[in-house]
Amino acid sequence: MIEKLKYANISSIYTKELIFYDKAIEGDCISFCERNGITYLPDSNRKSCWKLESNTFRNVELSEVFTIAPTDLIFSQSTLQKFSDAGIDEVLFVVEDERVVAVVHVVDYNNPFIQFECFKTISQFERSIRKLLKEEGESNHSFLDWCRIQGEEHWQRIFSQFVPDKEKKRRRIEKNMADLSEFQMFNLSDLLSFGIAKEILPKQWGSVLNDGDKLHSISQLRNFIAHNKDFTNVEIREGSSPLFSIRGLQKFAKHFGDFVQCFEYVEDHVGLHPNNSLITRIVD
């Protein structure tokens, strides 16, 4: 499932509906560039481009700085560096067989395809984590027992929430848990920490609280998608060209890279427990 994102390339987000420079409507071309905060337009010959300077256009050759291949991976560091080298406000010309076939801009990362595929892979990851914990013999009760003996306030709060003192409330929660599959009432980040403590997941994944750790990346990625945030921020100011930022995109790419490693680790280990027979996996 994650392959769609891991190997997603520029052709997944580029724009093939090109606006070419046209001398006959140069005023409109200038307005288009100013409105979108760009300075380059492709020539209709698809082999050169026009640069807006001092309210007029001049023809220039396509530089490697402003070109990108349709097969370049969207989340690779080299691709993101392309946007930085060209200037965040500029389009990159997508070149294939020495012809401009499309253009791509950092705002094209705010694409429903990316959001949807991220949502699907995170959902799959959560299901796989719950399944792996179950295969290793863990349960709602073992998780709560573990929370009970932890010293930190966070875990004590979880235990008190799901095992309250009042019997009526406790029975209602127990019934709700029984109606769902194991671990479905608990947060992903808490289950990941539990899995590491139980040595089911690698301790190298670190902590949710430590910026730079894989668990932190997973938590940030999930929150990013859950709140439907744009990958690229744009500020529109009256009378000025748009200002673009890819800081959010760069952070997302880092979090996504960590998530891919964790996702593939879990997928490789689900179903490998000695007590997990083929019949059990099919039924589950």
Side-chain angles (χ1 to χ4, degrees):
M1 175 181 288
I2 203 169
E3 285 77 11
K4 282 189 178 180
L5 277 176
K6 182 179 178 180
Y7 300 115
N9 55 40
I10 289 296
S11 68
S12 304
I13 62 172
Y14 66 27
T15 300
K16 296 200 73 172
E17 292 74 29
L18 301 178
I19 303 296
F20 297 106
Y21 169 74
D22 188 339
K23 179 67 175 177
I25 53 171
E26 184 167 275
D28 291 337
C29 293
I30 293 173
S31 297
F32 176 80
C33 288
E34 291 177 345
R35 187 168 60 252
N36 290 279
I38 61 177
T39 55
Y40 287 87
L41 290 178
D43 188 273
S44 57
N45 66 13
R46 295 178 180 263
K47 294 183 179 296
S48 64
C49 60
W50 293 80
K51 182 178 182 181
L52 178 61
E53 290 181 327
S54 302
N55 216 37
T56 187
F57 283 94
R58 66 180 181 90
N59 189 236
V60 295
E61 292 184 1
L62 279 178
S63 166
E64 284 190 11
V65 175
F66 296 104
T67 62
I68 196 167
T71 53
D72 287 347
L73 300 180
I74 60 176
F75 289 124
S76 72
Q77 288 303 312
S78 60
T79 297
L80 297 181
Q81 190 62 45
K82 274 274 188 179
F83 286 103
S84 295
D85 291 344
I88 304 306
D89 298 337
E90 295 298 347
V91 294
L92 292 179
F93 298 101
V94 184
V95 175
E96 188 173 34
D97 296 329
E98 300 183 353
R99 296 178 65 254
V100 175
V101 296
V103 293
V104 66
H105 192 277
V106 289
V107 295
D108 292 320
Y109 277 85
N110 300 333
N111 187 297
F113 159 75
I114 298 177
Q115 287 277 355
F116 181 62
E117 290 301 325
C118 282
F119 176 81
K120 286 200 306 180
T121 54
I122 291 172
S123 296
Q124 176 61 41
F125 181 70
E126 292 194 38
R127 289 193 296 271
S128 296
I129 287 292
R130 294 195 296 264
K131 187 174 182 181
L132 181 59
L133 292 175
K134 184 179 176 181
E135 289 176 357
E136 293 293 332
E138 303 299 340
S139 65
N140 290 333
H141 295 299
S142 68
F143 171 69
L144 291 172
D145 281 343
W146 178 80
C147 291
R148 178 177 57 82
I149 62 176
Q150 302 307 304
E152 291 87 347
E153 180 182 350
H154 173 75
W155 304 112
Q156 293 298 314
R157 188 165 57 247
I158 292 175
F159 180 79
S160 298
Q161 177 185 349
F162 289 97
V163 190
D165 293 332
K166 294 183 179 180
E167 183 178 353
K168 185 177 180 180
K169 185 177 182 181
R170 185 169 65 250
R171 286 183 176 180
R172 184 172 68 251
I173 293 174
E174 289 174 351
K175 182 182 183 304
N176 290 339
M177 283 197 290
D179 289 339
L180 298 171
S181 298
E182 295 292 320
F183 305 112
Q184 285 198 338
M185 294 189 71
F186 307 120
N187 291 333
L188 173 63
S189 58
D190 294 331
L191 294 177
L192 291 171
S193 296
F194 175 60
I196 290 176
K198 289 290 185 174
E199 299 184 348
I200 297 170
L201 300 173
K203 65 178 181 180
Q204 292 83 359
W205 288 11
S207 167
V208 173
L209 301 177
N210 294 335
D211 189 6
D213 285 357
K214 286 182 170 58
L215 252 61
H216 178 79
S217 289
I218 294 171
S219 177
Q220 292 297 305
L221 180 68
R222 190 183 186 282
N223 291 338
F224 206 99
I225 298 302
H227 293 93
N228 199 28
K229 293 182 179 179
D230 284 341
F231 302 103
T232 304
N233 299 321
V234 56
E235 178 185 352
I236 307 295
R237 299 186 302 177
E238 186 175 353
S240 301
S241 298
L243 295 177
F244 300 98
S245 171
I246 64 168
R247 287 192 300 272
L249 175 59
Q250 290 169 328
K251 287 182 179 179
F252 179 87
K254 192 272 179 190
H255 296 329
F256 179 73
D258 287 344
F259 173 70
V260 168
Q261 294 179 38
C262 297
F263 182 98
E264 292 179 337
Y265 176 93
V266 173
E267 291 300 301
D268 287 345
H269 286 76
V270 167
L272 294 183
H273 194 276
N275 294 329
N276 189 51
S277 68
L278 177 60
I279 294 177
T280 301
R281 295 199 299 272
I282 292 174
V283 171
D284 188 65

PDB file of all heavy atoms in Angstrom, residues 6 8 19 32 34 63 72 112 135 140 147 167 192 199 207 225 230-231 243 252 257 271 273:
ATOM      1  N   LYS A   6       5.537   6.075  -1.545  1.00  0.00           N
ATOM      2  CA  LYS A   6       6.997   5.951  -1.514  1.00  0.00           C
ATOM      3  C   LYS A   6       7.603   6.187  -2.885  1.00  0.00           C
ATOM      4  O   LYS A   6       8.659   6.816  -3.019  1.00  0.00           O
ATOM      5  CB  LYS A   6       7.384   4.556  -1.003  1.00  0.00           C
ATOM      6  CG  LYS A   6       8.878   4.321  -0.877  1.00  0.00           C
ATOM      7  CD  LYS A   6       9.165   2.926  -0.346  1.00  0.00           C
ATOM      8  CE  LYS A   6      10.666   2.655  -0.253  1.00  0.00           C
ATOM      9  NZ  LYS A   6      10.955   1.296   0.254  1.00  0.00           N
ATOM     10  N   ALA A   8       5.822   7.643  -5.468  1.00  0.00           N
ATOM     11  CA  ALA A   8       5.090   8.683  -6.202  1.00  0.00           C
ATOM     12  C   ALA A   8       6.085   9.660  -6.814  1.00  0.00           C
ATOM     13  O   ALA A   8       7.056  10.068  -6.179  1.00  0.00           O
ATOM     14  CB  ALA A   8       4.132   9.409  -5.272  1.00  0.00           C
ATOM     15  N   ILE A  19       0.356  27.389 -19.617  1.00  0.00           N
ATOM     16  CA  ILE A  19       0.149  28.767 -20.072  1.00  0.00           C
ATOM     17  C   ILE A  19       1.444  29.201 -20.759  1.00  0.00           C
ATOM     18  O   ILE A  19       2.473  29.389 -20.110  1.00  0.00           O
ATOM     19  CB  ILE A  19      -0.169  29.712 -18.893  1.00  0.00           C
ATOM     20  CG1 ILE A  19      -1.387  29.223 -18.113  1.00  0.00           C
ATOM     21  CG2 ILE A  19      -0.375  31.140 -19.391  1.00  0.00           C
ATOM     22  CD1 ILE A  19      -2.667  29.228 -18.907  1.00  0.00           C
ATOM     23  N   PHE A  32      -0.636  37.384 -15.224  1.00  0.00           N
ATOM     24  CA  PHE A  32      -0.667  35.993 -14.750  1.00  0.00           C
ATOM     25  C   PHE A  32       0.528  35.706 -13.849  1.00  0.00           C
ATOM     26  O   PHE A  32       0.395  35.094 -12.780  1.00  0.00           O
ATOM     27  CB  PHE A  32      -0.680  35.045 -15.945  1.00  0.00           C
ATOM     28  CG  PHE A  32      -0.614  33.589 -15.566  1.00  0.00           C
ATOM     29  CD1 PHE A  32      -1.749  32.915 -15.146  1.00  0.00           C
ATOM     30  CD2 PHE A  32       0.591  32.891 -15.611  1.00  0.00           C
ATOM     31  CE1 PHE A  32      -1.688  31.568 -14.786  1.00  0.00           C
ATOM     32  CE2 PHE A  32       0.661  31.555 -15.247  1.00  0.00           C
ATOM     33  CZ  PHE A  32      -0.486  30.897 -14.827  1.00  0.00           C
ATOM     34  N   GLU A  34       2.440  37.885 -12.182  1.00  0.00           N
ATOM     35  CA  GLU A  34       2.380  38.666 -10.947  1.00  0.00           C
ATOM     36  C   GLU A  34       1.344  38.089  -9.983  1.00  0.00           C
ATOM     37  O   GLU A  34       1.568  38.040  -8.773  1.00  0.00           O
ATOM     38  CB  GLU A  34       2.058  40.127 -11.276  1.00  0.00           C
ATOM     39  CG  GLU A  34       3.197  40.842 -11.986  1.00  0.00           C
ATOM     40  CD  GLU A  34       2.840  42.267 -12.375  1.00  0.00           C
ATOM     41  OE1 GLU A  34       1.618  42.593 -12.356  1.00  0.00           O
ATOM     42  OE2 GLU A  34       3.751  43.057 -12.684  1.00  0.00           O
ATOM     43  N   SER A  63      17.347  26.190 -18.210  1.00  0.00           N
ATOM     44  CA  SER A  63      18.480  25.815 -17.372  1.00  0.00           C
ATOM     45  C   SER A  63      18.123  24.584 -16.554  1.00  0.00           C
ATOM     46  O   SER A  63      16.955  24.356 -16.216  1.00  0.00           O
ATOM     47  CB  SER A  63      18.822  26.980 -16.431  1.00  0.00           C
ATOM     48  OG  SER A  63      19.679  26.554 -15.401  1.00  0.00           O
ATOM     49  N   ASP A  72      11.024  11.901 -11.245  1.00  0.00           N
ATOM     50  CA  ASP A  72      11.663  12.238  -9.973  1.00  0.00           C
ATOM     51  C   ASP A  72      10.681  12.032  -8.830  1.00  0.00           C
ATOM     52  O   ASP A  72       9.515  12.449  -8.902  1.00  0.00           O
ATOM     53  CB  ASP A  72      12.149  13.691  -9.991  1.00  0.00           C
ATOM     54  CG  ASP A  72      13.381  13.881 -10.861  1.00  0.00           C
ATOM     55  OD1 ASP A  72      13.988  12.870 -11.249  1.00  0.00           O
ATOM     56  OD2 ASP A  72      13.729  15.039 -11.161  1.00  0.00           O
ATOM     57  N   PRO A 112      -4.961  16.339  -3.375  1.00  0.00           N
ATOM     58  CA  PRO A 112      -5.822  15.334  -2.727  1.00  0.00           C
ATOM     59  C   PRO A 112      -5.248  13.922  -2.801  1.00  0.00           C
ATOM     60  O   PRO A 112      -5.462  13.118  -1.898  1.00  0.00           O
ATOM     61  CB  PRO A 112      -7.127  15.438  -3.512  1.00  0.00           C
ATOM     62  CG  PRO A 112      -7.141  16.817  -4.074  1.00  0.00           C
ATOM     63  CD  PRO A 112      -5.697  17.139  -4.367  1.00  0.00           C
ATOM     64  N   GLU A 135      -0.764 -10.510  18.212  1.00  0.00           N
ATOM     65  CA  GLU A 135      -0.024 -11.728  17.878  1.00  0.00           C
ATOM     66  C   GLU A 135       1.065 -12.033  18.907  1.00  0.00           C
ATOM     67  O   GLU A 135       1.406 -13.201  19.138  1.00  0.00           O
ATOM     68  CB  GLU A 135       0.612 -11.590  16.490  1.00  0.00           C
ATOM     69  CG  GLU A 135      -0.385 -11.629  15.350  1.00  0.00           C
ATOM     70  CD  GLU A 135       0.254 -11.383  13.989  1.00  0.00           C
ATOM     71  OE1 GLU A 135       1.485 -11.124  13.949  1.00  0.00           O
ATOM     72  OE2 GLU A 135      -0.466 -11.463  12.986  1.00  0.00           O
ATOM     73  N   ASN A 140      -5.914  -5.614  25.647  1.00  0.00           N
ATOM     74  CA  ASN A 140      -6.336  -4.400  26.342  1.00  0.00           C
ATOM     75  C   ASN A 140      -5.919  -4.449  27.806  1.00  0.00           C
ATOM     76  O   ASN A 140      -5.410  -3.471  28.363  1.00  0.00           O
ATOM     77  CB  ASN A 140      -7.861  -4.245  26.259  1.00  0.00           C
ATOM     78  CG  ASN A 140      -8.338  -3.909  24.856  1.00  0.00           C
ATOM     79  OD1 ASN A 140      -7.618  -3.315  24.057  1.00  0.00           O
ATOM     80  ND2 ASN A 140      -9.564  -4.289  24.547  1.00  0.00           N
ATOM     81  N   CYS A 147       0.173   0.261  32.006  1.00  0.00           N
ATOM     82  CA  CYS A 147      -0.039   1.681  32.343  1.00  0.00           C
ATOM     83  C   CYS A 147      -0.073   1.873  33.861  1.00  0.00           C
ATOM     84  O   CYS A 147       0.466   2.846  34.396  1.00  0.00           O
ATOM     85  CB  CYS A 147      -1.337   2.194  31.732  1.00  0.00           C
ATOM     86  SG  CYS A 147      -1.334   2.337  29.931  1.00  0.00           S
ATOM     87  N   GLU A 167     -17.911   1.463  39.793  1.00  0.00           N
ATOM     88  CA  GLU A 167     -18.148   0.169  39.148  1.00  0.00           C
ATOM     89  C   GLU A 167     -19.034   0.290  37.909  1.00  0.00           C
ATOM     90  O   GLU A 167     -18.771  -0.353  36.878  1.00  0.00           O
ATOM     91  CB  GLU A 167     -18.772  -0.803  40.139  1.00  0.00           C
ATOM     92  CG  GLU A 167     -18.982  -2.197  39.557  1.00  0.00           C
ATOM     93  CD  GLU A 167     -19.562  -3.153  40.577  1.00  0.00           C
ATOM     94  OE1 GLU A 167     -19.677  -2.784  41.762  1.00  0.00           O
ATOM     95  OE2 GLU A 167     -19.898  -4.294  40.176  1.00  0.00           O
ATOM     96  N   LEU A 192       2.386   2.497  20.432  1.00  0.00           N
ATOM     97  CA  LEU A 192       3.766   2.402  19.954  1.00  0.00           C
ATOM     98  C   LEU A 192       4.746   2.404  21.123  1.00  0.00           C
ATOM     99  O   LEU A 192       5.706   1.619  21.147  1.00  0.00           O
ATOM    100  CB  LEU A 192       4.076   3.557  18.998  1.00  0.00           C
ATOM    101  CG  LEU A 192       3.358   3.519  17.642  1.00  0.00           C
ATOM    102  CD1 LEU A 192       3.574   4.824  16.893  1.00  0.00           C
ATOM    103  CD2 LEU A 192       3.833   2.346  16.804  1.00  0.00           C
ATOM    104  N   GLU A 199       9.421  -4.625  23.970  1.00  0.00           N
ATOM    105  CA  GLU A 199      10.439  -5.116  23.039  1.00  0.00           C
ATOM    106  C   GLU A 199       9.827  -5.819  21.829  1.00  0.00           C
ATOM    107  O   GLU A 199      10.436  -6.698  21.229  1.00  0.00           O
ATOM    108  CB  GLU A 199      11.431  -6.042  23.760  1.00  0.00           C
ATOM    109  CG  GLU A 199      12.183  -5.347  24.875  1.00  0.00           C
ATOM    110  CD  GLU A 199      13.228  -6.233  25.529  1.00  0.00           C
ATOM    111  OE1 GLU A 199      13.208  -7.453  25.275  1.00  0.00           O
ATOM    112  OE2 GLU A 199      14.052  -5.698  26.288  1.00  0.00           O
ATOM    113  N   SER A 207      11.157   8.138  21.218  1.00  0.00           N
ATOM    114  CA  SER A 207      10.028   8.640  22.004  1.00  0.00           C
ATOM    115  C   SER A 207       9.188   9.599  21.185  1.00  0.00           C
ATOM    116  O   SER A 207       9.697  10.310  20.320  1.00  0.00           O
ATOM    117  CB  SER A 207      10.540   9.349  23.264  1.00  0.00           C
ATOM    118  OG  SER A 207       9.520  10.089  23.884  1.00  0.00           O
ATOM    119  N   ILE A 225      -2.020  14.844   8.911  1.00  0.00           N
ATOM    120  CA  ILE A 225      -3.074  14.350   8.028  1.00  0.00           C
ATOM    121  C   ILE A 225      -4.439  14.491   8.675  1.00  0.00           C
ATOM    122  O   ILE A 225      -5.426  14.862   8.023  1.00  0.00           O
ATOM    123  CB  ILE A 225      -2.802  12.875   7.653  1.00  0.00           C
ATOM    124  CG1 ILE A 225      -1.473  12.764   6.896  1.00  0.00           C
ATOM    125  CG2 ILE A 225      -3.937  12.317   6.816  1.00  0.00           C
ATOM    126  CD1 ILE A 225      -1.398  13.593   5.625  1.00  0.00           C
ATOM    127  N   ASP A 230      -2.123  21.864   4.823  1.00  0.00           N
ATOM    128  CA  ASP A 230      -1.425  21.984   3.544  1.00  0.00           C
ATOM    129  C   ASP A 230       0.065  21.713   3.743  1.00  0.00           C
ATOM    130  O   ASP A 230       0.645  22.079   4.767  1.00  0.00           O
ATOM    131  CB  ASP A 230      -1.600  23.385   2.959  1.00  0.00           C
ATOM    132  CG  ASP A 230      -2.979  23.586   2.358  1.00  0.00           C
ATOM    133  OD1 ASP A 230      -3.656  22.594   2.078  1.00  0.00           O
ATOM    134  OD2 ASP A 230      -3.376  24.763   2.184  1.00  0.00           O
ATOM    135  N   PHE A 231       0.686  21.085   2.748  1.00  0.00           N
ATOM    136  CA  PHE A 231       2.120  20.815   2.807  1.00  0.00           C
ATOM    137  C   PHE A 231       2.920  22.078   2.521  1.00  0.00           C
ATOM    138  O   PHE A 231       4.004  22.265   3.041  1.00  0.00           O
ATOM    139  CB  PHE A 231       2.494  19.722   1.806  1.00  0.00           C
ATOM    140  CG  PHE A 231       1.761  18.435   2.029  1.00  0.00           C
ATOM    141  CD1 PHE A 231       0.697  18.070   1.227  1.00  0.00           C
ATOM    142  CD2 PHE A 231       2.111  17.602   3.073  1.00  0.00           C
ATOM    143  CE1 PHE A 231       0.010  16.896   1.443  1.00  0.00           C
ATOM    144  CE2 PHE A 231       1.432  16.425   3.302  1.00  0.00           C
ATOM    145  CZ  PHE A 231       0.380  16.066   2.478  1.00  0.00           C
ATOM    146  N   LEU A 243       3.540  34.840  -1.255  1.00  0.00           N
ATOM    147  CA  LEU A 243       4.775  34.380  -0.630  1.00  0.00           C
ATOM    148  C   LEU A 243       4.605  32.909  -0.272  1.00  0.00           C
ATOM    149  O   LEU A 243       3.654  32.542   0.403  1.00  0.00           O
ATOM    150  CB  LEU A 243       5.075  35.198   0.635  1.00  0.00           C
ATOM    151  CG  LEU A 243       5.378  36.684   0.445  1.00  0.00           C
ATOM    152  CD1 LEU A 243       5.572  37.344   1.815  1.00  0.00           C
ATOM    153  CD2 LEU A 243       6.611  36.880  -0.414  1.00  0.00           C
ATOM    154  N   PHE A 252       7.424  17.561   6.622  1.00  0.00           N
ATOM    155  CA  PHE A 252       6.596  16.412   6.287  1.00  0.00           C
ATOM    156  C   PHE A 252       7.432  15.327   5.610  1.00  0.00           C
ATOM    157  O   PHE A 252       7.274  14.139   5.903  1.00  0.00           O
ATOM    158  CB  PHE A 252       5.451  16.826   5.372  1.00  0.00           C
ATOM    159  CG  PHE A 252       4.576  15.675   4.971  1.00  0.00           C
ATOM    160  CD1 PHE A 252       3.503  15.287   5.762  1.00  0.00           C
ATOM    161  CD2 PHE A 252       4.825  14.970   3.803  1.00  0.00           C
ATOM    162  CE1 PHE A 252       2.709  14.216   5.407  1.00  0.00           C
ATOM    163  CE2 PHE A 252       4.033  13.894   3.437  1.00  0.00           C
ATOM    164  CZ  PHE A 252       2.973  13.522   4.240  1.00  0.00           C
ATOM    165  N   GLY A 257       9.626   9.985   5.634  1.00  0.00           N
ATOM    166  CA  GLY A 257      10.730   9.041   5.483  1.00  0.00           C
ATOM    167  C   GLY A 257      10.864   8.117   6.690  1.00  0.00           C
ATOM    168  O   GLY A 257      11.065   6.907   6.545  1.00  0.00           O
ATOM    169  N   GLY A 271       2.285 -11.389  11.366  1.00  0.00           N
ATOM    170  CA  GLY A 271       2.036 -12.732  10.858  1.00  0.00           C
ATOM    171  C   GLY A 271       3.201 -13.684  10.996  1.00  0.00           C
ATOM    172  O   GLY A 271       3.103 -14.837  10.588  1.00  0.00           O
ATOM    173  N   HIS A 273       4.680 -14.495  13.989  1.00  0.00           N
ATOM    174  CA  HIS A 273       4.748 -15.142  15.299  1.00  0.00           C
ATOM    175  C   HIS A 273       4.523 -16.639  15.146  1.00  0.00           C
ATOM    176  O   HIS A 273       3.653 -17.069  14.372  1.00  0.00           O
ATOM    177  CB  HIS A 273       3.702 -14.546  16.246  1.00  0.00           C
ATOM    178  CG  HIS A 273       3.914 -14.914  17.685  1.00  0.00           C
ATOM    179  ND1 HIS A 273       3.461 -16.100  18.219  1.00  0.00           N
ATOM    180  CD2 HIS A 273       4.558 -14.259  18.692  1.00  0.00           C
ATOM    181  CE1 HIS A 273       3.806 -16.154  19.505  1.00  0.00           C
ATOM    182  NE2 HIS A 273       4.459 -15.049  19.812  1.00  0.00           N
TER     183      HIS A 273
END
